[in-house]
Amino acid sequence: MSKLALVTGATSGIGRAFAERLAADGYDLVIVGRRRERLEEFAAARPGTEVRTVPADLSTDEGIDAVARICADEPLTLLVNNAGVAHYMPLADLPAAKARELINVKVLAPTMISRAAVAGMRDRGRGAIINVAGMIAFSGPAPHSQMPRRAVYAGTLAHLVAMSQTLSAELEGTGVQVEVLCPGVVATEFHERQGLDMSVVPRMTADDVVTAGLRGLELGEVVCAPGVEDARLLDAVFAADLAAFGAQSPELATRYRAG
């Protein structure tokens, strides 16, 4: 049976590394990106692989809808929601257009594209979705001295973590897997496009991130953190989340009661 994967943000970085690996593993591909010439260059370099190129801007409704239609119509084996923009800056300094672009690309696009793909995967009893987020999803409690402020960016990645975990639970027993891939700093063009010099920062390769993501599916991981050696740390985070969730009461907590 043929395998078909759709990868967004496939023209560089992690997305391109996914496309390259999946082509080598025998997948037919649908590759999505803003830069038509890079998509076409990738396809031309792989005459032995069936590659459909889809130029689309996932910061727009038109781009999101075009990719969602493909996901609804095609028998996808794997969906990789990788497209991203950074826009690292405090909320008060973030232009409205950039805030909207970031939310569209990292929240609205993966939500709507996954929605379009998941019904068919469920009906076929097979398939997988990988949502590419990052360890910054867990950085909210960090003080300013430790982590530059980037509230919207961190919030979008946290959305991907929570959505992926919840969607995985919804699909339990259907044969469809969901994983959120959370690398740390990766050696790609991503930071350079934001004018950030990361040359002195230790960085993981995009190939290693892809290796972890695909191996994570084999292991049945829902949250895949390629650079975290002790997986018990993640288990502790999620156990604390559930403990807080389960500790709710209809009674007002003592610390909020007057005098």
Side-chain angles (χ1 to χ4, degrees):
M1 184 179 296
S2 62
K3 300 181 292 185
L4 177 62
L6 185 146
V7 181
T8 69
T11 57
S12 64
I14 295 171
R16 186 179 179 98
F18 261 112
E20 291 172 346
R21 182 74 58 85
L22 295 171
D25 288 347
Y27 280 79
D28 297 330
L29 294 175
V30 181
I31 55 173
V32 179
R34 300 188 193 198
R35 290 171 283 189
R36 180 188 299 270
E37 69 284 355
R38 286 202 178 185
L39 296 172
E40 293 175 349
E41 173 269 326
F42 181 96
R46 290 159 184 82
T49 301
E50 183 176 330
V51 181
R52 177 178 175 183
T53 62
V54 181
D57 182 351
L58 296 183
S59 71
T60 67
D61 288 344
E62 294 78 11
I64 294 171
D65 290 346
V67 177
R69 282 193 296 271
I70 295 169
C71 290
D73 294 342
E74 299 291 340
L76 294 184
T77 310
L78 175 63
L79 167 64
V80 181
N81 283 309
N82 166 76
V85 291
H87 302 331
Y88 291 173
M89 60 188 75
L91 181 58
D93 301 329
L94 182 65
K98 288 189 174 183
R100 186 173 291 109
E101 179 186 23
L102 180 50
I103 292 168
N104 283 352
V105 172
K106 292 306 289 182
V107 175
L108 186 60
T111 300
M112 300 307 293
I113 291 169
S114 295
R115 175 190 173 276
V118 75
M121 289 182 175
R122 181 195 59 197
D123 292 346
R124 291 187 294 274
R126 62 191 288 260
I129 297 171
I130 297 177
N131 293 314
V132 180
M135 290 304 293
I136 289 174
F138 303 102
S139 71
H144 178 70
S145 59
Q146 180 178 336
M147 182 69 66
R149 294 298 88 189
R150 39 199 171 194
V152 179
Y153 183 74
T156 64
L157 301 191
H159 164 80
L160 287 174
V161 172
M163 183 182 79
S164 299
Q165 290 174 308
T166 308
L167 181 57
S168 177
E170 288 181 9
L171 294 169
E172 185 175 348
T174 66
V176 182
Q177 290 181 267
V178 181
E179 174 187 282
V180 60
L181 180 55
C182 298
V185 183
V186 184
T188 69
E189 300 174 11
F190 186 73
H191 297 94
E192 284 76 5
R193 290 201 299 269
Q194 308 302 316
L196 300 174
D197 181 6
M198 306 294 288
S199 58
V200 299
V201 177
R203 295 176 289 173
M204 183 173 287
T205 68
D207 286 338
D208 279 350
V209 173
V210 171
T211 295
L214 297 177
R215 177 60 177 152
L217 285 180
E218 294 176 359
L219 294 172
E221 292 185 349
V222 178
V223 180
C224 174
V228 176
E229 181 64 32
D230 187 353
R232 293 173 299 179
L233 294 171
L234 296 171
D235 294 338
V237 170
F238 307 140
D241 286 344
L242 288 176
F245 181 75
Q248 300 174 85
S249 167
E251 300 295 328
L252 187 65
T254 304
R255 66 186 178 281
Y256 300 126
R257 297 175 191 171

